[in-house]
Amino acid sequence: MRKQESLTEYLDWPLFGALIAMLFMGLATVYSVAFNEAVPSIFNFSEKYGRQLFWILFALFLGLLVFLIDSDIYRKFAIPIYLATLVLLVVVLFMPAVHGAHAWLGVGSFGVQPAEFAKISTSLLLAKYISGLTVKQQTTATVLTASSILLIPMVLILLQPDAGTFVVFTSFLFVMYREGLTFDPILLKFVNTIPGVRYKETWVGSHFIPILFVLVFLSIITLLLDSVVLNLNLFGFVLELSGSSGVIFGLLLIYLISWLVMQRFSTRRERTRMMVVLTLGLLISSAISFGVDKGFGMLRAHQKDRIELFLGLREDPNGDDYNRNRAMAAVGSGGLLGKGYREASVSSLRSNHVPESETDFIFCPYAEEWGFAGVLVLFVLYLFMLFRIIVIAERQRAAFNRIYAYCVAMILFYHFAINIGMNIGFAPVIGIPLPFFSYGGSSMMSFSVMLFILLKLDAQRKDVLR
Amino acid sequence: MNLDARRNVILVFIFLVIGIYLFKLFYMQVIDETWTLRAQEIAEKRKEIFPPRGVIFDRNGKKIVTNQTYYNLMMVEDSIQNFDTANFAKLIGWSVQDVRNRFKEIVAGEGTYFNKITGKRTPNYQTIRAYPFLKELTLEEMSKIAPHLANFKGFYEIATSARNYPYKSAANILGYLSEVYREEIEEDRFYKPGNNIGRSGIERFYEKELRGVKGIKYIVTSALNNAIESYADGKYDTIARQAPPLKMGMDVELQTYGEQLMQKKKGCIVALDPTTGEILSMVSAPSYDPNLLVGKRNISANYPKLARDPNLPLFPRPLQAEYPPGSIFKLVQSLIAMQEGVITANTGFPCDKSLVGCHNHPSARNIAEAIQYSCNPYYYMAVRRIIQQGVKKNNFADAEYGLGKWYKYIRSFGLGGIFDTDVSGQRPGLIPSPAFYDKWYGHHTWAFSTIRSISIGQGEVKLTPLQMANIVAIIANKGWYYTPHFVRAIGKNGALPQFEKKRWTMINYRHFGPVIEGMRRVVNEAGGTGKMARLTDITVCGKTGTVQNPHGEDHSVFFAFAPINKPKIAIAVFVENAGWGGTWAAPIASLIIEKYLKGKVSDLDKEKRILEAQIAYQTNN
């Protein structure tokens, strides 16, 4: 193995640069939110910005340590690391609850959240396991093993309970999808028990992500239109539809249009096959829409309330919907150019209208102070980071590295999408931090370590063939 | 299986989410105003700053209405720490039990919300909210408490501005302030609950001129509703501006003196500057200190007392007491008769007591004597000539014609209606028109004999003291008047335009000579009824009157203007239940005239007699 000649030679500078920019913006926002006139110095650790600066420096130091260690150990020790994390996840359940969740491990004011580090160890083990497979080897056993690697920590995290991190773990499904992992072996077992059916693949098992999209999309549309009565005026013939029948009606229209397009542009042989697919699609979608509609009707009142609040069908700005309403007011009042640095009136810690505005809701003060222009900058930065990670992923020679990189990309994206979604009414309020932005040591350390492992793997990518 | 395509699925997914998010954010932040408004509602409070009300000066530049700073001692329950009840009680000079009771009282009183629609009071006490623990403390009271407040966390002082009346007089003119009603807030968004509004008098009439321009300060408030900082460094704030001062035509020294003279008596004094129509003084006795009605605490303590007082201090006598004018009406009748040409200045009538009662005096040979003797039969005959001019053959139609003419003359004196002026609360009095008697008796069923008592100012005729004082001003001016009014200038602007217009009566100036001569004789000739109004070096022209009072002793009345050649003051004095006009009203009028024209009073015995007199005034209430 080649000795490291220079730490910096193989470092991916664009990604590292984006990281530093993000850390700086995050620190600036924490400084603005938590600003205390009595202690304006950022080097004073009695204030949140002082501590955040410390966490950033400490995280970068951890990153340096990671960079000094040979990347080979991650693959070699993936299983022990994973098991150690599981132990911590079990131990943390016996710790006293903070804010109703047994999530913190530690003494006094210094604590870590094992769930944060479980993301890394799960990524490592998943990468190790999937990289050891070939597509043709996939059996029921391999699918179940891969799923278990996710499910065990997920269950432990749900016991804390920590719904946010639990949801983040579903990001690994994208990685599995990318790597061609298929649930077909399990599905086929069921499907092929039907007499006269002998499929080699179900298509559903391997394309579960696009199917998931369609499912979620259809459900949301159905729920949104649930209480609406649509009036369709077709050449003087007025058609009154309930919301869910409207969705089915819309699906039928799409079906007819596709059918007309197909008549025009496809050959006879293809047509038959695609007609079957289209018809099946229509039937299944309609069934889903119908099912969601009926299922929603059977929910309990408080469950309905939750869903209606989330979808914005009901308003309760001072009660159940307090957090989101205040957060949206803060973000929405930012305007095009914002209110100016340290001028956030709704979301500063002093005004305290938006709870947790230095941690989970840190996007609020940022958007309020910098407006849409600032939001655009932040989005571009995040997008750049994600794309850079995917670029890094795709240039890896070792499957382990690639899979790990995808894990990092998807975790970061999930955090980004859910956290900002919370601020604009697109996601339910589940407390997860905005990576590299939110105040807090645990998330800062775990995200940095996660990213530096990737940077290290990338730096050593050429070693694989030597 | 080609898995590279799946990378694109993920990329499309990420792009889609980012795209939708950006679209939504652009909509929320740039296009949709809803959230901006919501944020303002939540965190950006408009705080309105009310300037102190405009001050008021009298005609000589003396400050008669000023503002004084008062203090409220506020408390916020959540901020109170280690409260030492005993020491606090000692500090404010209360008992410990009183302090404890006050806390309970706040919860049950200020801490409730009164719904005016349902009329229900519901508890609304909040421990994070500030409530006044002590209200309307003076600077002296506060200066004893303030240095020690640091020891009592949760208590602090706030300053408020309240009216102050250094002369302690003219309460009936200036009016008072009280808290706005809900309807007033709805009508005019200037006000906020708890603000004061002019409730009567000058304070009410010039409310808009006195209240000034309120300032608006935008502040950022926290979730606990505390102000944390000014919004956008005060970029959008506006400054509160106090209204320019009002200058009144009133002479505050004269007003105060008049109130002193009228103490322990009921009645009123109205003094006008005939050359401008400015009201120099308007006393409504008994009077009271306007400082009694400053602030909620004072109003709730003193207003009921004043309202229950049997001497009716709150009744604005100069404006609302409608008396039959009595003898002063003879002056007006003389003028109308001469203008109509039914008599001349030298027409004489015998004092025929068979027509109407009279006292013993020689028969009047001319108008001046008729006024001097106040001869009732003379006016019976003179006014009959006005009413029954013999133009129509039908006696009733003739009376209708004559009274119609008479009515127009009277109206030109500004009688029978209210003046369009800044004097609020006027009553119109009553001047009977032909239509009035038609309604009363029926068409063509009345003639002079039916209505004869109006000729000497009795019967249906009723005038207010202000109207009567204006008659004197018209005579002093020989035929014209300016609308009686209080305020001569608003800041650097002049008075209201309607005060600048000279109003002419229908009487030619030539006819005033004999009337004025009669009035001169009333005061200055031997045997004149108004000799008690005589002054050594000022020629006072006057007329006594006795207003018949069916409920008791007659009212003593005197009208005068002075000096005779260049009149500067016209005055009407009423003393209720004081009997004959010459005894009490005349000397009071002369003291006022002398005080106004010379600045001091020479006849101290006269003054002493008046000050000591108590007439029909109930001391114990």
Side-chain angles (χ1 to χ4, degrees), chain A residues 177 213 325 331 345 351 353 417, chain B residues 6 13 21 38 44 221 223:
Chain A
Y177 169 71
F213 286 165
N325 182 274
V331 172
S345 57
S351 70
H353 291 289
Chain B
R6 294 192 171 185
F13 177 69
Y21 274 35
R38 179 80 184 117
E44 292 151 24
T221 55

Side-chain angles (χ1 to χ4, degrees), chain A residues 177-178 180 206 213 325-326 331-333 335 339 345 350-353 367 372 375 387 394 406 416-417 421 424, chain B residues 3 6-7 9 13 15 18 20-21 24-26 28-29 35 38-39 42-44 220-223 228-229:
Chain A
Y177 169 71
R178 166 67 184 89
S206 41
F213 286 165
N325 182 274
R326 297 300 188 275
V331 172
S333 63
K339 295 179 185 169
S345 57
R350 276 149 294 148
S351 70
N352 203 25
H353 291 289
F372 184 72
V375 167
F387 279 33
E394 293 297 338
Y406 264 106
F416 175 74
I424 58 175
Chain B
L3 296 177
R6 294 192 171 185
R7 177 185 60 189
V9 172
F13 177 69
F15 259 118
I18 300 266
I20 292 171
Y21 274 35
K24 167 90 180 186
L25 276 160
F26 185 75
M28 270 174 76
Q29 297 191 292
W35 293 109
R38 179 80 184 117
I42 293 169
E44 292 151 24
V220 177
T221 55
S222 74
I228 7 179
E229 59 204 9

Side-chain angles (χ1 to χ4, degrees), chain B residues 181-232:
Chain B
Y181 303 137
R182 192 170 54 95
E183 296 78 22
E184 287 164 331
I185 298 171
E186 275 162 16
E187 207 170 279
D188 188 342
R189 290 285 166 195
F190 181 89
Y191 302 100
K192 289 264 168 305
N195 283 167
N196 282 333
I197 189 170
R199 190 56 72 205
S200 69
I202 292 295
E203 297 277 22
R204 177 163 96 173
F205 191 87
Y206 290 99
E207 171 65 21
K208 286 208 167 80
E209 284 76 13
L210 286 169
R211 68 189 186 184
V213 180
K214 65 181 172 184
I216 294 167
K217 198 169 158 57
Y218 292 90
I219 47 168
V220 177
T221 55
S222 74
L224 293 181
N225 211 16
N226 297 322
I228 7 179
E229 59 204 9
S230 82
Y231 177 70

Side-chain angles (χ1 to χ4, degrees), chain B residues 103-114:
Chain B
F103 277 114
K104 284 177 202 152
E105 193 183 294
I106 289 169
V107 175
E110 284 96 332
T112 55
Y113 170 74
F114 182 68

Side-chain angles (χ1 to χ4, degrees), chain B residues 353-519:
Chain B
K353 294 199 182 71
S354 65
L355 297 171
V356 56
C358 202
H359 51 99
N360 288 322
H361 64 81
S363 282
R365 289 162 296 177
N366 53 42
I367 294 257
E369 284 184 7
I371 290 170
Q372 183 185 352
Y373 304 140
S374 198
C375 178
N376 289 339
Y378 187 98
Y379 285 97
Y380 180 91
M381 283 177 278
V383 174
R384 187 167 63 185
R385 286 193 186 178
I386 302 174
I387 304 296
Q388 308 284 181
Q389 294 191 7
V391 176
K392 304 266 162 110
K393 281 189 179 145
N394 181 325
N395 196 38
F396 297 121
D398 196 38
E400 183 184 15
Y401 171 81
L403 188 74
K405 274 192 149 182
W406 177 84
Y407 182 73
K408 278 187 193 149
Y409 278 111
I410 293 281
R411 291 284 288 157
S412 78
F413 280 75
L415 306 176
I418 60 169
F419 295 111
D420 174 20
T421 181
D422 55 6
V423 183
S424 344
Q426 302 172 68
R427 289 192 53 82
L430 178 66
I431 297 295
S433 63
F436 174 85
Y437 285 122
D438 279 353
K439 210 174 148 195
W440 196 268
Y441 299 112
H443 190 58
H444 284 189
T445 59
W446 52 271
F448 174 73
S449 53
T450 327
I451 62 172
R452 63 181 184 274
S453 54
I454 64 167
S455 55
I456 53 167
Q458 305 283 356
E460 292 78 24
V461 183
K462 283 192 172 64
L463 297 181
T464 64
L466 178 66
Q467 288 171 330
M468 292 189 243
N470 196 48
I471 292 174
V472 183
I474 290 169
I475 294 168
N477 287 335
K478 297 185 180 170
W480 54 267
Y481 69 100
Y482 285 111
T483 304
H485 60 274
F486 283 125
V487 171
R488 54 153 57 162
I490 302 163
K492 283 179 183 144
N493 303 322
L496 300 179
Q498 67 262 38
F499 303 159
E500 316 259 317
K501 194 182 158 210
K502 206 182 229 185
R503 290 163 210 274
W504 289 91
T505 60
M506 289 159 69
I507 311 292
N508 191 296
Y509 77 96
R510 286 181 288 117
H511 302 307
F512 286 90
V515 173
I516 292 172
E517 171 58 20
M519 289 174 77

Side-chain angles (χ1 to χ4, degrees), chain B residues 85-102 133:
Chain B
T85 316
N87 266 335
F88 186 74
K90 213 167 107 191
L91 179 65
I92 62 172
W94 285 15
S95 76
V96 172
Q97 194 52 48
D98 282 347
V99 172
R100 294 208 177 105
N101 288 343
R102 176 67 188 143
F133 191 85

